[in-house]
Amino acid sequence: DGGITQSPKYLFRKEGQNVTLSCEQNLNHDAMYWYRQDPGQGLRLIYYSQIVNDFQKGDIAEGYSVSREKKESFPLTVTSAQKNPTAFYLCASSTPQGAHTGELFFGEGSRLTVL
Amino acid sequence: QKEVEQNSGPLSVPEGAIASLNCTYSDRGSQSFFWYRQYSGKSPELIMSIYSNGDKEDGRFTAQLNKASQYVSLLIRDSQPSDSATYLCALILTGGGNKLTFGTGTQLKVEL
């Protein structure tokens, strides 16, 4: 079955540690996105990538890094520079046409808690 | 002013009633608008899109767009307990390419 797989689903981190969230898709989508969601908040865009080996900062990129070495994969690293990393992280993908129709396909999310 | 504004709710409606969810936006040039539904602890899913002024109906859902007033709404007829979720309004900003900007969402509770 085609879809987006995020792992891990739950992750605990000590302050000062970097963590990497995995996002893999087998939908053959060109565009991939990382969003962050805090309680009572909407989704805020962290980074996005429209093609392999290229990515752009979103609205809240500080303290995060990404790579796009393969079309299927778009991992997100939460660095120690991110001051408030506890949140629900959502990865999404779309076709170029799908992006304009708002049709983002989301993974099930990764919930990061900093201890 | 926020780019997309929604009342966080919760909005409580009795089963069978019409639920009305509202969204205002600040970018007058936005052309594409979307409603996503998000169940608690789950990822969002697209339920409606609208691009032209007026109404667009899909089953029990009707999206309404008024670009002059910069206002988008979602009506849910014959509300069911399974409709209880957070509804996120989203749009593509002028020059936003293929990035969606989301509102904070309105929590809907349909009560028996």
Side-chain angles (χ1 to χ4, degrees):
Chain A
D1 289 331
I4 300 180
T5 301
Q6 289 186 241
S7 63
K9 193 169 183 178
Y10 298 96
L11 183 61
F12 298 89
R13 184 193 100 173
K14 293 181 180 179
E15 284 192 25
Q17 287 182 332
N18 292 354
V19 294
T20 297
L21 307 180
S22 170
C23 179
E24 302 279 332
Q25 55 101 355
N26 60 5
L27 299 168
N28 199 33
H29 286 170
D30 291 301
M32 297 187 74
Y33 310 80
W34 274 105
Y35 286 91
R36 167 180 173 145
Q37 188 174 35
D38 295 282
Q41 299 292 316
L43 279 64
R44 292 184 290 168
L45 183 64
I46 304 173
Y47 269 97
Y48 66 104
S49 168
Q50 300 187 53
I51 56 172
V52 175
N53 292 322
D54 187 44
F55 49 83
Q56 288 78 41
K57 293 182 179 179
D59 300 318
I60 55 165
E62 185 175 352
Y64 299 98
S65 65
V66 294
S67 63
R68 187 83 186 278
E69 298 176 359
K70 298 186 299 181
K71 188 176 184 178
E72 303 80 25
S73 179
F74 192 40
L76 173 74
T77 297
V78 184
T79 76
S80 57
Q82 170 49 235
K83 298 306 179 187
N84 186 21
T86 295
F88 187 48
Y89 291 87
L90 286 159
C91 180
S93 71
S94 73
T95 62
Q97 299 77 13
H100 288 284
T101 62
E103 192 167 18
L104 298 185
F105 292 80
F106 285 90
E108 293 192 350
S110 293
R111 192 169 297 278
L112 172 63
T113 301
V114 173
L115 303 174
Chain B
Q1 184 180 3
K2 290 184 179 179
E3 292 162 330
V4 185
E5 295 207 53
Q6 295 181 258
N7 188 318
S8 62
L11 172 66
S12 294
V13 300
E15 185 178 7
I18 296 175
S20 178
L21 304 160
N22 304 315
C23 171
T24 59
Y25 60 94
S26 59
D27 177 16
R28 189 170 287 278
S30 294
Q31 298 294 321
S32 306
F33 305 87
F34 314 96
W35 284 98
Y36 276 76
R37 178 176 62 198
Q38 185 177 24
Y39 292 113
S40 180
K42 303 297 185 182
S43 57
E45 58 178 330
L46 179 66
I47 55 171
M48 290 287 287
S49 59
I50 187 165
Y51 307 97
S52 304
N53 280 329
D55 295 358
K56 179 181 178 182
E57 187 174 320
D58 184 1
R60 295 186 297 112
F61 298 98
T62 299
Q64 299 176 318
L65 174 60
N66 184 325
K67 292 183 180 179
S69 299
Q70 295 174 240
Y71 178 94
V72 188
S73 65
L74 179 70
L75 301 179
I76 306 175
R77 291 182 299 281
D78 189 23
S79 296
Q80 301 297 309
S82 59
D83 294 324
S84 297
T86 295
Y87 289 81
L88 300 164
C89 175
L91 53 79
I92 298 177
L93 295 172
T94 304
N98 55 0
K99 298 181 297 178
L100 291 186
T101 297
F102 287 84
T104 56
T106 297
Q107 184 184 5
L108 173 66
K109 293 184 176 181
V110 181
E111 299 169 334
L112 296 172

